């Protein structure tokens, strides 16, 4: 039902009425819009009793009337925030239980008595659930006025907390279902608990003074750019710096603490300052999204630079409204904290917000409430909303878990340090329902999943033909010039995407059969592939020279972006027939030699090797030429699986282009063969499995025996992982990694032989007079250990009881070979002259498997400081176990010590801790450190502080990995075609 935006207002001739208006305890935004509705009711001559936990001045500064009565009672707690930008989901549910569930019986009794005592004609709720039930018990009608309801908000929290809190959500929905109807505000969420809804315009506070008056009061000229900072109070320790603002800008700070010292270009507003006046005097606003900030920004046509909050389902709907009216610019959280504000502020003042809708929602809502109080019926007879709550739970979960939900880079803004430095395209729907990137491509299959890096890649792809046709190609980088000649734009192109991974737990224990926990990171590799008949292929000069005078034959041509950063050739090409040895594919060993001929092109083994593996393992024959473009934002040499992301993205794109159906698991196993046998790196399979099978914001749990995916582990809302790069280049092809792997396999062989010896001795004893040893050790256990396939199948207590003394600290390669013949590892070779460490590499996976299992179990335990401390301790133990194996490094050790220092600082202890542990990741010997901490703004600040301290000590500014994205299997592939221009002049 829709009420006209220009409603007839509230007539003062109505009977004197009494309204009981309940206000939720979640933020001032609710109180400020209640003020606007209550003001109109009081102007009409009615009494309004406001039940609230908000300060009196919020109401009395706007309404000076004896008809306003304020009763200070808090009957719900809203969402508990860890800081200005992070909602603590489990704490929110726990606090609501404490505030509204445990004392529910006494609350209802008290409210019924109070409503009866004031002789209320109507109960209004924004949006306190129990108020609706209390009204029903008192025999009074009730109406809710809101843009969201707590059943919808808490529904997503229940998905994280488990079924033990589900009764809370059902109870809230049941309470709401007692109200007559909902007065629904713009930017609303789904609210299935209500039987009917009446839509009204925006409810906003009007400004009292003009822009000119406010600026004169502040002593600010009209030529000064003014931004108002509105985060509902800045968190303690958040330091604003003069350089955050561009020259010629000033910032008004709302809600700053009394002790907060501000730079000269920041002005602190009084706590009771009337914000609308200062908003209207500003050029843009920087803050978090809430109904109050969005509605007032739209009504004043004030551009809004916003930073997303985690886990608050109201936000996507308000954000959509803000962006629909061209009034919003998204800032990534890291840029907020580091003061990289300039591009966002400059972008904001270039916007022209276009909201022209009504802003008299307070007046319209007051009219409806008055009509309802005197008996008018707005509600239809529909089913109870409690029955429809399941839809809200599912939708709430999907909103937070939508692919790309946590992507850090807004679509309009691309970091200058990114690979391509190109902004993202805008997208829409074509008439036939296919998605089209404006002026670029028609997407015939697949989904962008809201991933801004994919949009950027498509934009860069679209611009290649202009590079090819341009006379100024000499100004372009080598790789861009080479890529410009790759594709025929009349033909279809296939695009795949695969992320790198952060090794949370498991690391080098994967090849020993451990459970591993891996998180796909935000950074990913994109690969574009096109098939062409050899007669239609654009050939580079050297490829053309090879085929001169012959019939065209299939060719592989590859361009890899990023060559200038890693001192390698940007291009590689070969005849596909080079992969053949007679009528069979060439051996992996020969392929390894083939790609090693030119060190500057050895990188091509990761890409072209995919084709040989498909030929060898699946019998695929490639009869068309293949053009292939690789663009990866996964940094090389940082231990986050840049190679696996390239392999997985390449194989996904080639499989799609050739109609091959390969499951994500099988695809990962095939990619491991590329790395093991063609590249020659003896890695396990966890990297490829995570890149192929992972999902955003979840840990992939896998037992590497050889690759059994157990499932996805939800990262609790209060837990967060970061990666910090040490700047020391890591390589799984390095001697340290390979020798540690050899040591582990040597240890396994020794344990198997020792078990066989004990088994034989026990069997002999059992046939004699003494069977104690057989009884103690267990015949079946010894049999299993004598045929041990994976070290991780051995429990720590069995290792300590029977085998620790069997393993030497070190052993010479030739000594081992003389006694044990072989270590039975198909991807490493023992050097007889090399001395190998054995005990530490063998011990590490046995204990690491136990640590990972414990870590996984802890993730599902209750949110507590003890839980986070235990998670951190497991990371620390893993780190020092790496070091014992010889896989540490000065840089990674320094980063771990910095985390420890931060954790043990007095300030962290007094704030219940923020960072709890760190460990080296992946193959070790450099690369990235994984950090676990509380998901809060203060943790992010401490990560940035560690980054700066590391730079101060080493001169290197570490790259920080934060955020997650879907694996290749979840992404699928895109089949795209260049959009045909309708302009005859083009």
């Amino acid at each position: 039902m829709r009420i006209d935006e220009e409603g007839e207002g509230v007539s003062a001739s109505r009977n004197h009425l009494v309204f009981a208006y309940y206000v939720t305890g979640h933020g001032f935004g609710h109180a400020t819009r209640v003020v606007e509705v209550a003001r109109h009711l009081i102007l009409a001559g009615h009494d309004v009793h406001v039940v609230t936990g908000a300060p009196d001045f919020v109401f009395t500064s706007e309404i000076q009337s004896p008809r306003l009565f304020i009763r200070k009672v808090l009957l719900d707690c809203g969402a508990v925030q860890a800081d200005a930008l992070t909602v603590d989901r489990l704490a929110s549910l726990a606090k609501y239980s404490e505030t509204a569930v445990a004392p529910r019986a006494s609350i209802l009794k008290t409210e019924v008595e109070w409503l009866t005592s004031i002789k209320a004609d109507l109960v209004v709720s924004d949006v306190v659930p129990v108020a609706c039930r209390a009204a029903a018990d008192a025999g009074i009608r009730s109406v809710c006025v809101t843009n969201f309801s707590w059943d919808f908000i808490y529904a997503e929290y229940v998905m994280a907390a488990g079924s033990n809190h589900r009764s809370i959500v059902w109870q809230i929905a049941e309470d709401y279902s007692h109200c007559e109807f909902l007065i629904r505000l713009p930017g609303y969420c789904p609210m299935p608990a209500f039987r009917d809804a009446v839509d009204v315009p925006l409810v906003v506070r009007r400004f009292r003074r003009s822009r000119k008056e406010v600026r004169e009061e502040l002593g600010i000229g009209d030529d000064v750019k003014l931004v108002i900072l509105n985060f509902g109070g800045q968190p303690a320790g958040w330091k604003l710096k003069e350089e955050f603002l561009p020259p010629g800008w000033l910032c008004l700070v709302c809600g700053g603490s009394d002790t907060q010292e501000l730079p000269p270009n920041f002005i602190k507003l009084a706590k009771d300052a009337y914000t609308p006046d200062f908003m209207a005097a500003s050029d843009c606003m920087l803050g978090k999204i809430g109904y109050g900030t969005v509605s007032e920004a739209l009504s004043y046509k004030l551009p809004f630079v916003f930073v997303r909050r985690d886990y608050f389902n109201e936000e996507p709907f308000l954000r959509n409204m803000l962006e629909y009216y061209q009034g919003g610019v998204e800032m990534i959280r890291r840029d907020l904290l580091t003061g990289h504000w300039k591009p966002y502020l400059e972008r904001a003042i270039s916007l022209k917000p276009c909201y022209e809708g009504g802003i008299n929602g307070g007046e319209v809502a007051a009219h409806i409430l008055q009509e309802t109080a005197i008996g008018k019926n707005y509600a239809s007879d529909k089913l109870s909303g409690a029955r429809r709550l399941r839809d809200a739970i599912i939708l709430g979960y999907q909103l937070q878990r939508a692919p790309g939900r946590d992507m850090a880079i807004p679509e309009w803004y691309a970091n200058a340090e990114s690979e391509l430095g190109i902004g993202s395209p805008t997208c829409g729907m074509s008439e036939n329902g296919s998605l089209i990137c404006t002026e670029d491509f028609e997407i015939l299959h697949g989904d962008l999943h809201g991933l801004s890096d994919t949009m950027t890649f498509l934009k860069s792809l679209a611009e290649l033909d202009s590079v090819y046709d341009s006379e100024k190609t000499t100004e372009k980088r080598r790789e861009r010039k080479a890529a410009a000649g790759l594709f025929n734009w009349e033909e279809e192109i296939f695009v795949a995407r695969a992320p790198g991974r952060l090794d949370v737990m498991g690391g080098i224990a994967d090849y020993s059969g451990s459970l591993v926990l891996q998180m796909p990171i935000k950074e990913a590799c994109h690969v574009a592939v096109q098939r062409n008949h050899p007669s239609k292929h654009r050939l580079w000069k050297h490829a053309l020279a090879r085929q001169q005078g012959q019939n065209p034959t299939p060719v592989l041509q590859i361009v890899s972006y990023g060559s200038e950063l890693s001192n390698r050739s940007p291009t590689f090409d070969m005849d596909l027939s080079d992969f053949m040895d007679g009528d069979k594919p060439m051996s992996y060993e020969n392929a390894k030699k083939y790609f090693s001929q030119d060190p500057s092109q050895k990188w091509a083994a990761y890409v072209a090797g995919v084709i040989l593996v498909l030929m060898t393992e699946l019998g695929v024959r490639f009869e068309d030429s293949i053009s292939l473009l690789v663009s990866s934002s996964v940094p090389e040499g940082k231990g986050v699986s840049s190679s696996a992301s390239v392999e997985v993205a390449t194989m996904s794109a080639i499989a799609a282009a050739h109609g091959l159906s390969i499951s994500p698991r099988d695809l990962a196993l095939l990619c491991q063969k590329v790395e093991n046998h063609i590249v020659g790196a003896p890695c396990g399979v966890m990297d490829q499995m995570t890149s192929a099978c992972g999902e955003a914001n979840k840990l992939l749990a896998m037992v590497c025996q050889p690759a059994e995916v157990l499932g996805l582990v939800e990262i609790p809302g209060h837990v967060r992982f970061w990666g910090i790069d040490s700047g020391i280049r890591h390589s799984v092809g390095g001697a340290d990694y390979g020798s540690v792997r050899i040591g582990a396999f040597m240890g396994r062989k020794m344990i198997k032989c020792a078990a066989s010896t004990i088994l034989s001795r026990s069997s002999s004893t059992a046939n004699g007079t003494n069977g104690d040893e057989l009884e103690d050790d267990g015949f079946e256990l010894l049999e299993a250990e004598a045929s041990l396939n994976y070290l991780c199948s051995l429990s720590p207590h069995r290792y300590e009881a029977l085998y620790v003394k069997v393993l030497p600290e070190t052993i010479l390669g030739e000594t081992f070979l003389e006694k044990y013949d072989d270590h039975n590892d198909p991807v490493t070779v023992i050097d007889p002259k090399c001395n190998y460490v054995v005990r530490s590499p063998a011990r590490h996976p046995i204990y690491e498997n136990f640590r990972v299992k414990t870590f996984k179990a802890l993730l599902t335990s209750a949110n507590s400081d003890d839980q986070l401390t235990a998670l951190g301790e497991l990371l620390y133990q893993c780190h020092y176990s790496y070091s014992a194996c010889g896989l540490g490094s000065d840089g990674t050790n320094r980063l771990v010590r910095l985390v420890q220092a931060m954790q043990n600082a007095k300030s962290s202890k007094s704030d219940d801790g923020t960072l709890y542990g760190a460990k080296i990741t992946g193959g070790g010997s450099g690369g990235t450190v994984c950090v676990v901490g509380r998901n809060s703004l203060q943790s992010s600040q401490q990560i940035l502080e560690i980054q700066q301290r590391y730079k101060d000590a080493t001169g290197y500014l570490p790259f920080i990995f934060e955020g997650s994205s879907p694996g290749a299997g979840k992404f699928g592939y895109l089949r795209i075609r260049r959009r045909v221009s309708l302009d005859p002049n083009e």
Side-chain angles (χ1 to χ4, degrees):
M1 186 182 297
R2 179 77 194 171
I3 299 296
D4 184 69
E5 292 183 351
E6 299 302 325
E8 60 190 68
V10 181
S11 170
S13 64
R14 300 291 188 182
N15 295 331
H16 172 262
L17 301 169
V18 176
F19 294 88
Y21 211 136
Y22 288 80
V23 188
T24 185
H26 182 74
F28 281 4
H30 297 266
T32 56
R33 68 190 185 199
V34 166
V35 165
E36 189 63 21
V37 178
R39 185 170 67 83
H40 285 285
L41 290 172
I42 289 171
L43 285 173
H46 307 305
D47 288 353
V48 178
H49 293 256
V50 175
V51 184
T52 181
D56 289 3
F57 76 81
V58 176
F59 303 92
T60 56
S61 63
E62 186 73 7
I63 304 172
Q64 294 87 35
S65 169
R67 294 191 177 276
L68 173 68
F69 304 87
I70 299 176
R71 176 171 168 246
K72 300 304 287 290
V73 179
L74 184 65
L75 299 178
D76 73 357
C77 63
V80 176
Q81 296 200 186
D83 53 52
L85 295 173
T86 308
V87 173
D88 189 327
R89 295 175 293 175
L90 299 185
S92 298
L93 292 172
K95 186 68 174 175
Y96 187 84
S97 295
E98 177 188 330
T99 306
V101 176
R104 179 177 173 82
S106 63
I107 288 174
L108 286 171
K109 182 175 182 295
T110 301
E111 295 312 302
V112 168
E113 290 175 353
W114 177 73
L115 290 171
T116 303
S117 70
I118 65 169
K119 298 181 181 179
D121 293 292
L122 186 70
V123 170
V124 189
S125 179
D126 184 358
V127 61
V128 181
V130 74
C132 303
R133 176 58 186 268
D137 289 353
I140 304 169
R141 302 172 79 187
S142 64
V143 175
C144 284
V145 183
T146 186
N147 65 303
F148 75 83
S149 57
W150 287 114
D151 54 332
F152 178 69
I153 301 297
Y154 287 161
E156 194 273 337
Y157 301 177
V158 169
M159 300 299 291
S163 58
N164 55 315
H165 285 294
R166 189 163 295 172
S167 60
I168 292 176
V169 184
W170 296 120
Q171 184 64 69
I172 291 172
E174 175 66 22
D175 285 347
Y176 284 146
S177 68
H178 289 288
C179 90
E180 293 277 320
F181 61 93
L182 164 70
I183 295 178
R184 190 166 59 184
L185 305 178
Y188 58 81
C189 305
M191 291 180 276
F194 298 98
R195 288 180 289 169
D196 209 346
V198 180
D199 290 303
V200 300
L202 286 175
V203 176
V204 296
R205 296 177 293 174
R206 311 296 176 94
F207 54 85
R208 302 167 181 165
R209 292 176 294 166
S210 69
R211 172 187 173 98
K212 182 179 179 182
E213 289 172 329
V214 173
R215 283 183 169 246
E216 284 179 353
E217 176 191 318
L218 295 172
I220 298 172
D222 206 48
D223 58 331
V224 175
K225 295 298 180 187
L226 198 60
V227 56
I228 183 167
L229 189 69
N230 192 353
F231 279 93
Q234 277 63 62
W238 185 5
K239 295 195 176 160
L240 300 169
K241 299 180 181 178
E242 186 173 355
E243 60 266 27
F244 285 12
L245 295 176
W249 282 74
L250 291 176
C251 179
L252 305 177
V253 181
C254 298
S257 66
D258 294 334
T259 59
Q260 186 177 20
E261 292 187 10
L262 297 179
N265 51 352
F266 287 78
I267 301 171
K268 187 186 302 180
L269 297 179
K271 283 193 179 295
D272 59 352
Y274 188 64
T275 311
D277 286 353
F278 294 97
M279 290 176 65
S282 299
D283 296 287
C284 65
M285 177 165 61
L286 171 56
K288 63 183 179 182
I289 285 182
Y291 178 85
T293 52
V294 170
S295 62
E296 290 174 355
L298 287 174
S299 67
Y300 310 146
K301 292 185 169 55
L302 181 69
F304 189 174
V305 179
F306 63 87
V307 183
R308 292 193 187 192
R309 281 185 292 177
D310 294 330
Y311 305 115
F312 200 74
N313 282 339
E314 173 195 25
E315 183 177 284
F317 300 92
L318 292 172
R319 186 174 71 245
N320 288 344
M321 182 170 68
L322 188 66
E323 292 175 343
Y324 178 81
Y325 291 112
Q326 301 173 41
V329 174
E330 182 183 344
M331 174 185 280
I332 62 175
R333 189 178 298 194
R334 185 190 304 174
D335 285 345
L336 171 71
L337 296 176
T338 57
H340 190 57
W341 294 8
K342 181 179 178 181
Y344 301 98
L345 298 179
E346 291 179 348
R347 166 74 175 176
I349 60 174
S350 72
L351 297 180
K352 301 196 178 303
C354 58
Y355 180 77
E356 299 293 345
I359 56 173
N360 63 332
E363 181 182 358
V364 174
H367 172 76
I368 296 170
L369 294 173
Q370 179 184 257
E371 294 287 301
T372 303
I374 62 174
K376 184 169 181 180
N377 184 24
Y378 282 91
S380 59
D381 188 17
K382 293 184 179 179
L383 292 174
S384 165
R387 297 187 183 181
R388 301 194 297 271
L389 184 60
R390 180 179 174 278
D391 295 335
I393 292 176
I394 298 302
L395 180 57
Y397 179 70
Q398 289 175 340
L399 273 171
Q400 290 298 336
R401 294 292 169 261
R405 169 65 176 83
D406 67 334
M407 293 305 291
I409 302 178
E411 292 178 14
W412 67 269
Y413 176 73
N415 194 312
E417 296 177 357
S418 67
E419 179 70 49
L420 301 176
I422 300 170
S424 301
T426 56
C427 297
M429 297 298 293
S430 68
E431 292 181 0
N432 63 7
S434 62
L435 185 63
I436 289 182
C437 290
T438 306
E439 299 180 354
D440 295 338
F441 294 103
E442 182 179 1
I443 298 182
L444 306 173
H445 172 89
D447 186 356
L448 295 176
H449 294 279
L451 295 166
S452 58
D453 62 340
T454 301
M455 298 176 191
T456 298
F457 177 71
L458 293 184
K459 186 69 175 176
S460 73
L461 201 60
E463 293 181 352
L464 287 178
D465 62 339
S466 63
V467 174
Y468 187 78
D469 295 334
S470 173
E471 296 179 358
K472 299 180 180 180
T473 55
T474 53
E475 298 176 6
K476 301 291 182 179
R477 294 188 302 185
R478 296 178 302 154
E479 56 196 31
R480 297 301 299 279
K481 288 173 62 179
L486 268 179
F487 300 114
N488 289 325
W489 298 110
E490 299 81 13
E491 304 295 332
E492 294 176 354
I493 297 173
F494 293 80
V495 175
R497 177 190 185 278
R501 67 94 187 94
L502 182 65
D503 166 33
V504 175
M505 287 292 287
I508 56 168
D510 60 341
Y511 53 70
S512 294
S514 178
L515 172 68
V516 298
L517 296 173
Q518 307 293 306
M519 184 181 80
I521 58 176
K522 178 186 64 181
E523 291 75 18
C525 174
H526 287 85
V527 170
V529 169
Q530 185 178 72
R531 294 173 58 183
N532 278 295
H533 188 275
S535 63
K536 295 182 178 180
H537 201 165
R538 288 177 170 176
L539 295 178
W540 295 331
K541 290 181 180 179
H542 33 84
L544 191 62
R546 285 200 307 268
Q547 297 194 11
Q548 196 164 12
Q550 303 175 15
N551 290 328
T553 58
V555 171
L556 170 66
Q557 295 187 147
I558 307 170
V559 173
S560 175
Y561 286 159
S563 61
E564 294 175 358
L565 301 176
S566 53
N567 194 31
R568 56 178 167 80
S569 170
T571 65
F572 175 86
D573 66 277
M574 63 180 289
D575 292 348
L576 286 175
S577 60
D578 290 348
F579 273 138
M580 300 301 294
D581 186 1
D583 59 351
K584 294 181 180 180
M586 70 193 304
S587 69
Y588 289 151
E589 187 61 33
N590 285 338
K592 185 177 174 182
K593 294 176 182 176
Y594 177 91
F595 288 108
S596 299
Q597 293 172 359
D598 181 355
S600 72
Q601 291 194 324
K602 189 176 179 180
W603 61 267
Y606 294 101
V607 183
V610 164
I611 293 175
L612 180 59
V613 167
L614 290 173
M615 293 169 67
T616 304
E617 306 297 330
L618 301 185
V620 181
R621 292 295 176 262
F622 296 93
E623 298 177 353
D624 288 334
S625 290
I626 300 173
S627 298
L628 200 148
L629 175 63
V630 180
S631 176
S632 180
S633 63
V634 185
E636 298 177 28
K638 300 189 185 301
V640 290
S641 298
S642 58
S643 59
S645 65
V646 170
E647 293 155 358
V648 171
T650 299
M651 189 169 287
S652 298
I654 289 176
H658 291 83
L660 304 177
S661 179
I662 307 174
S663 71
R665 179 184 182 276
D666 291 342
L667 188 139
L669 291 171
L670 291 171
C671 288
Q672 185 195 19
K673 291 183 181 293
V674 176
E675 188 137 3
N676 286 170
H677 302 304
I678 300 177
V679 176
C683 69
V685 74
M686 71 176 190
D687 299 354
Q688 290 83 2
M689 291 293 288
T690 308
S691 189
C693 305
E695 291 189 19
N697 300 309
K698 297 177 183 178
L699 300 179
L700 182 75
M702 180 179 69
V703 175
C704 305
Q705 298 186 10
E708 180 189 351
V709 175
L710 298 184
L712 297 159
V713 180
E714 193 81 32
I715 299 173
H718 64 284
V719 176
R720 190 169 184 180
F721 299 102
W722 295 263
I724 309 178
D725 165 41
S726 67
I728 299 173
R729 189 174 180 84
H730 144 88
S731 172
V732 295
D736 291 341
Y737 178 88
S739 63
V740 169
R741 175 169 176 147
I742 289 172
F745 276 85
M746 283 178 165
R748 187 192 66 163
K749 185 67 172 278
M750 293 175 180
I751 288 171
K752 290 174 68 174
C753 291
S756 296
T757 300
I758 298 171
L759 185 63
S760 299
R761 189 169 66 245
S762 298
S763 298
S764 299
T765 306
N767 292 328
T769 58
N770 185 358
D772 289 347
E773 191 172 354
L774 175 64
E775 183 179 340
D776 289 343
D777 294 333
F779 190 82
E780 291 183 359
L781 271 176
L782 286 169
E783 276 191 327
E785 289 157 6
S787 58
L788 192 67
N789 289 323
Y790 298 97
L791 271 174
C792 290
S793 298
L794 184 66
S795 63
H797 77 271
R798 290 288 289 179
Y799 168 75
E800 294 290 347
L802 294 179
Y803 303 115
V804 65
K805 294 180 181 178
V806 173
L807 302 183
E809 288 291 343
T810 63
I811 192 170
L812 190 65
E814 62 182 1
T815 304
F816 177 87
L817 292 171
E818 287 172 3
K819 185 173 182 180
Y820 297 101
D821 187 45
D822 190 16
H823 67 324
N824 303 120
D825 179 14
V827 299
T828 57
V829 177
I830 296 174
D831 180 355
K833 302 302 180 186
C834 181
N835 199 39
Y836 292 97
V837 178
V838 175
R839 185 177 294 174
S840 294
R843 184 183 189 276
H844 174 82
I846 294 169
Y847 278 85
E848 182 71 357
N849 189 44
F850 173 78
R851 285 190 289 263
V852 182
K853 288 180 178 179
T854 306
F855 194 94
K856 180 173 179 285
L858 278 169
L859 286 173
T860 61
S861 65
N863 173 7
S864 68
D865 197 60
D866 288 341
Q867 176 208 29
L868 286 161
T869 300
L871 291 172
E873 176 60 27
L874 291 170
L875 259 64
Y876 287 137
Q877 288 183 19
C878 174
H879 177 78
Y880 290 110
S881 185
Y882 261 80
S883 297
C885 293
L887 293 176
S889 74
D890 290 342
T892 51
N893 289 341
R894 183 184 295 274
L895 284 169
V896 170
R897 288 196 301 269
L898 286 171
V899 172
Q900 289 172 329
M902 193 71 71
Q903 177 186 359
N904 295 316
K906 290 183 179 179
S907 58
S908 292
K909 289 182 177 180
S910 64
D911 293 334
D912 296 325
T914 50
L915 303 182
Y916 287 85
K919 64 175 276 284
I920 195 171
T921 63
S925 298
T928 293
V929 161
C930 173
V931 182
V932 65
R934 192 177 293 280
N935 185 10
S936 68
L937 194 61
Q938 186 175 349
S939 296
S940 297
Q941 290 176 296
Q942 291 188 342
I943 291 291
L944 293 173
E945 187 174 342
I946 288 171
Q947 179 190 43
Q948 188 58 48
R949 287 186 184 182
Y950 190 83
K951 182 187 178 184
D952 293 342
T954 67
Y956 174 78
L957 183 67
F959 187 96
I960 295 176
F961 297 94
E962 53 184 339
S964 182
S965 67
K970 195 73 174 176
F971 180 85
Y973 68 90
L974 302 177
R975 181 164 60 93
I976 62 177
R977 183 172 56 211
R978 188 77 166 135
R979 189 180 180 190
V980 179
S981 174
L982 300 179
D983 187 347
N985 297 319
E986 292 186 8

